[in-house]
């Protein structure tokens, strides 16, 4: 989340935390709506962060514990 989008550091960290802690798509939708309502259109980097949050929510539902990107591979830990 760029500083130019949310100037106040604490508020920016609160949104980072909320995205990381989201356990379902409804929560992510509410976070996105709140961001847009308070700060306007999402910057590309913040849209990407929201997509990563969605991937994490969906991965958890499939029993995936982690996804790690490496230069020549993607590692998926299913437990």
């Amino acid at each position: 989340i760029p500083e130019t989008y949310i100037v106040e550091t604490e508020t920016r960290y609160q949104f980072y935390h909320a995205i990381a802690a989201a356990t379902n798509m409804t929560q992510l939708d509410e976070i996105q709506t709140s961001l847009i309502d308070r700060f306007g259109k999402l910057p590309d980097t913040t849209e990407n962060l929201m997509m990563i949050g969605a991937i994490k929510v969906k991965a958890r539902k499939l029993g995936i514990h982690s996804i790690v990107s490496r230069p020549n591979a993607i590692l998926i830990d299913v437990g």
Side-chain angles (χ1 to χ4, degrees):
I1 303 172
E3 289 180 20
T4 54
Y5 185 62
I6 301 177
V7 176
E8 187 179 304
T9 302
E10 183 175 335
T11 302
R12 201 168 51 254
Y13 288 157
Q14 288 171 346
F15 277 104
Y16 274 122
H17 177 73
I19 293 166
T23 58
N24 60 58
M25 295 304 294
T26 301
Q27 289 175 340
L28 286 173
D29 290 342
E30 290 170 354
I31 294 164
Q32 182 168 329
T33 298
S34 179
L35 282 166
I36 293 168
D37 287 350
R38 290 177 65 183
F39 305 103
K41 184 182 179 303
L42 296 179
D44 290 343
T45 54
T46 306
E47 284 185 15
N48 291 342
L49 182 62
M50 295 301 299
M51 284 190 272
I52 290 168
I55 290 168
K56 287 182 177 182
V57 165
K58 291 175 183 179
R60 283 186 206 121
K61 286 185 178 188
L62 294 172
I64 296 171
H65 296 275
S66 69
I67 301 172
V68 179
S69 176
R70 299 281 166 95
N72 295 318
I74 295 176
L75 306 173
I76 299 174
D77 177 8
V78 293

